[in-house]
């Protein structure tokens, strides 16, 4: 069977925010970030800165299997990610190998008795072969790349620690429970400099390992024979990487504010907490999305809801992963959206609930100085808790404003806008002539 390894590449090392782990910490963290005297007068929030070889292990045992067995040879293709996540994929499928190479993945691993497969694939693609021998993964110069462990009991899990690993990479085959052992491994290996892989049989299982205890394991070994799980995992990794990209945001000037009557507006409740300066990108036209602030700031009349964005009416577009948009009316529990902040930093979040209610609306229009002929617009609920995000103040300006309530918005105020292609087909940007007004 062929193993295949994706090492996801990026020169940048990104540290994701560390969220609280207990109810008390959540309350303290929320007060620290979100409780301010007023919308426009607050402090800047602080950023919460080997056991032996087992013959039954699905990786190790394949070294003695016949070519007809499901694990007779291993293909590994690698690339690195924004958090140095790695994926090794087990497969004997030439189609899986081809799909890997087509996506820039070219490091492969084989058992010594299947060097012929390495030679065959090397003749049709530029690959870097690695080889599995018993419980070890070796390169062409016989240097140890990884060691392999099977964990099926709590006692075996306790024996797995950085001191017991003889290589920088460790492959773990979790036979029974998955999430709790994975979380324990993340905790045990944190700061060790070693990368721990867990064998998974689907993209969803791989995602679970990569997100265990927030930071996740260092990698997974995806054991599949079909291309679809690979594509699903690659899509997940792409979205994960996109969640840490910097968006280019433009400064727009408010040119019109008008109360227009009642409409069905959408509150988007996320499975993540937002900080001051963060929100969703929403707009009446896909060509320009306004950065709408979350309800994380407290007032004298209502408690903060740092998981919520009062985003706008049902027809509005909202930014989602993959460079796409969807209508607010299409959001539902489980769908991912893009959170952005004043600096253009982004992350993904899961929609937990969507509330649609009839409320009074305000039409807000804005223009960019360099595009005076183009108008961008958004409808928002006429309420003090609904706000747009302005540009970051200059260094010599003392006051940091993270949100301007729609009820306080004035002509000439500046807000942040994401300008992009306006023509869309099922949320995907396309090139075509389009006029929207």
């Amino acid at each position: 069977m062929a193993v295949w390894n994706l090492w996801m590449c990026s020169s940048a090392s990104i540290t994701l925010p560390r969220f609280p782990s207990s109810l008390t910490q959540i309350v303290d963290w929320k007060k620290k970030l979100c409780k301010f005297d007023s919308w426009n007068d607050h402090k800047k929030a602080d950023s919460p800165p080997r056991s032996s070889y087992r013959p039954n292990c699905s990786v190790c045992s394949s070294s003695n299997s016949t070519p007809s067995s499901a694990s007779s040879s291993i293909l590994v293709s690698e690339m690195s990610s924004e958090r140095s996540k790695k994926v090794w994929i087990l497969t004997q499928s030439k189609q899986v190998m081809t799909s890997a190479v087509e996506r820039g993945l070219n490091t492969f691993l084989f058992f010594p008795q299947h060097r012929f497969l390495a030679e065959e694939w090397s003749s049709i693609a530029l690959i870097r072969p690695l080889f599995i021998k018993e419980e070890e993964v070796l390169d062409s110069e016989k240097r140890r790349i990884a060691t392999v462990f099977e964990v099926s009991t709590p006692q075996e899990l306790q024996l797995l620690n950085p001191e017991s690993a003889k290589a920088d990479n460790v492959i773990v085959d979790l036979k029974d429970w998955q999430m709790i052992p994975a979380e324990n491994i993340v905790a045990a290996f944190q700061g060790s400099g070693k990368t721990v892989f867990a064998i998974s049989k689907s993209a969803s299982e791989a995602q679970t390992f990569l997100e265990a205890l927030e930071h996740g394991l260092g990698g997974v070994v995806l054991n599949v024979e079909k291309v679809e799980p690979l594509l699903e995992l690659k899509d997940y990794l792409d979205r994960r990487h996109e969640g840490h990209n910097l968006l280019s945001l433009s400064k727009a000037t408010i040119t019109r504010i008008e109360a227009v009557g009642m409409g069905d507006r959408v509150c988007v409740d996320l499975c993540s907490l937002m900080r001051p300066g963060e929100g969703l990108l929403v707009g009446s036209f896909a060509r320009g999305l306004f950065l709408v602030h979350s309800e994380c700031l407290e007032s004298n009349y209502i408690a903060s809801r740092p998981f919520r964005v009062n985003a706008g009416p049902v027809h509005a577009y909202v930014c989602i992963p993959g460079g796409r948009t969807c209508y607010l009316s299409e959001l539902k529990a489980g769908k991912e959206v893009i959170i952005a902040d004043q600096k253009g930093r982004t992350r993904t979040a899961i929609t937990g609930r969507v509330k649609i209610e009839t409320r009074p609306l305000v039409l807000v229009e804005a223009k960019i100085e360099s595009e005076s002929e183009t108008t961008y617009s958004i409808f928002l609920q006429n309420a003090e808790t609904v706000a747009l995000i302005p540009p970051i103040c200059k260094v010599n300006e003392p006051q940091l404003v993270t949100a301007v309530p729609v009820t306080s918005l004035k002509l000439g105020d500046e807000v942040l806008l994401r300008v992009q292609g306006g023509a869309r087909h099922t949320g995907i940007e396309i090139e075509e002539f389009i006029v929207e007004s």
Side-chain angles (χ1 to χ4, degrees):
M1 178 149 189
V3 173
W4 167 35
N5 162 50
L6 283 118
W7 297 75
M8 305 200 31
C9 304
S10 171
S11 58
S13 176
I14 294 189
T15 302
L16 296 183
R18 187 170 296 175
F19 288 99
S21 57
S22 69
L23 181 59
T24 301
Q25 289 176 335
I26 287 175
V27 173
D28 293 341
W29 182 80
K30 173 181 169 183
K31 288 180 178 178
K32 188 176 183 181
L33 287 183
C34 303
K35 189 170 185 178
F36 304 103
D37 293 334
S38 69
W39 282 85
N40 296 331
D41 184 15
H42 58 78
K43 297 179 181 179
K44 184 177 181 181
D46 295 330
S47 298
R50 151 188 118 120
S51 60
S52 60
Y53 159 71
R54 269 74 168 193
N56 293 328
C57 175
S58 61
V59 172
C60 297
S61 60
S62 59
S63 62
N64 298 320
S65 61
T66 64
S68 61
S69 71
S71 55
S72 60
S73 48
I74 293 184
L75 152 70
V76 179
S77 206
E78 66 180 75
M79 67 180 184
S80 43
S81 75
E82 81 287 346
R83 292 179 66 188
S84 300
K85 295 299 183 185
K86 302 177 182 179
V87 180
W88 293 1
I89 304 176
L90 270 69
T91 183
Q92 63 178 355
S93 167
K94 187 175 180 179
Q95 184 180 6
V96 172
M97 181 274 295
T98 302
S99 296
V101 173
E102 289 174 347
R103 286 155 181 82
L105 315 175
N106 57 8
T107 300
F108 301 88
L109 182 105
F110 308 87
F111 288 109
Q113 66 268 34
H114 299 112
R115 286 180 178 268
F116 72 92
L117 194 55
E119 295 173 359
E120 176 187 340
W121 289 347
S122 295
S123 67
I124 61 176
L126 182 62
I127 67 171
R128 173 184 172 231
L130 298 176
F131 301 92
I132 288 181
K133 183 179 180 181
E134 295 181 343
E135 73 275 19
E136 296 181 329
V137 176
L138 308 175
D139 64 11
S140 58
E141 297 180 3
K142 297 185 178 181
R143 292 175 297 195
R144 185 187 292 116
I145 302 300
T147 51
V148 183
F149 295 81
E150 179 187 309
V151 175
S152 57
T153 67
Q155 292 74 25
E156 290 175 338
L157 182 61
Q158 290 179 352
L159 293 174
L160 181 60
N161 55 64
E163 291 72 27
S164 65
K166 298 179 180 179
D168 290 337
N169 301 302
V170 180
I171 299 175
V172 180
D173 191 3
L174 300 173
K175 291 294 187 181
D176 190 6
W177 284 23
Q178 293 180 343
M179 180 53 74
I180 298 302
E183 291 180 345
N184 292 349
I185 293 171
V186 170
F189 279 80
Q190 186 175 16
S192 69
K194 297 182 182 293
T195 301
V196 182
F197 298 77
I199 298 174
S200 57
K201 296 179 174 61
S202 67
S204 60
E205 192 173 280
Q207 181 176 343
T208 297
F209 288 130
L210 293 174
E211 296 176 348
L213 210 64
E214 182 183 347
H215 297 287
L217 293 177
V220 294
V221 176
L222 186 62
N223 185 0
V224 296
E225 287 304 307
K226 295 182 179 180
V227 173
E228 287 74 18
L230 162 68
L231 300 181
E232 292 176 14
L233 181 58
K234 180 64 164 59
D235 179 65
Y236 162 73
L237 295 172
D238 287 346
R239 287 186 282 111
R240 181 190 183 100
H241 178 72
E242 181 188 15
H244 304 289
N245 288 338
L246 279 176
L247 284 180
S248 175
L249 299 176
S250 301
K251 183 170 61 176
T253 302
I254 300 299
T255 58
R256 182 184 178 189
I257 307 168
E258 181 182 344
V260 293
M262 306 294 285
D264 296 331
R265 70 95 176 95
V266 181
C267 273
V268 182
D269 293 349
L270 303 178
C271 297
S272 299
L273 298 174
M274 286 170 280
R275 307 172 187 80
E278 285 188 323
L280 300 182
L281 290 161
V282 184
S284 293
F285 309 117
R287 65 174 181 258
L289 303 179
F290 291 76
L291 192 48
V292 182
H293 201 270
S294 73
E295 294 188 7
C296 72
L297 302 178
E298 289 190 353
S299 71
N300 294 329
Y301 296 95
I302 190 168
S304 70
R305 295 177 175 85
F307 53 83
R308 173 173 295 172
V309 176
N310 189 328
V314 289
H315 78 280
Y317 289 103
V318 61
C319 185
I320 62 175
R324 304 178 65 170
T325 59
C326 75
Y327 298 117
L328 284 175
S329 60
E330 294 176 330
L331 286 183
K332 58 183 179 181
K335 191 158 186 173
E336 287 185 318
V337 294
I338 294 289
I339 295 175
D341 70 5
Q342 285 177 299
K343 295 182 179 180
R345 295 173 298 195
T346 62
R347 57 190 174 104
T348 59
I350 300 169
T351 302
R353 172 179 55 241
V354 172
K355 294 202 314 176
I356 301 177
E357 299 163 312
T358 302
R359 294 292 186 268
L361 300 179
V362 173
L363 169 62
V364 178
E365 292 184 349
K367 290 185 177 182
I368 296 176
E369 184 176 355
S370 59
E371 301 177 7
S372 58
E373 299 301 319
T374 303
T375 298
Y376 304 94
S377 69
I378 185 173
F379 289 84
L380 295 168
Q381 180 182 340
N382 191 2
E384 289 82 359
T385 53
V386 182
L388 294 176
I389 298 179
I392 294 177
C393 297
K394 296 179 181 178
V395 176
N396 58 353
E397 295 181 4
Q399 187 178 12
L400 176 66
V401 178
T402 60
V404 179
V406 66
T407 53
S408 303
L409 205 59
K410 303 183 300 294
L411 297 182
D413 282 350
E414 293 180 338
V415 296
L416 288 175
L417 191 71
R418 168 64 176 171
V419 178
Q420 56 189 13
R424 298 272 157 169
H425 176 69
T426 64
I428 303 172
E429 183 176 339
I430 60 174
E431 293 184 9
E432 71 171 2
F433 175 76
I434 183 171
V435 176
E436 293 180 300
S437 62

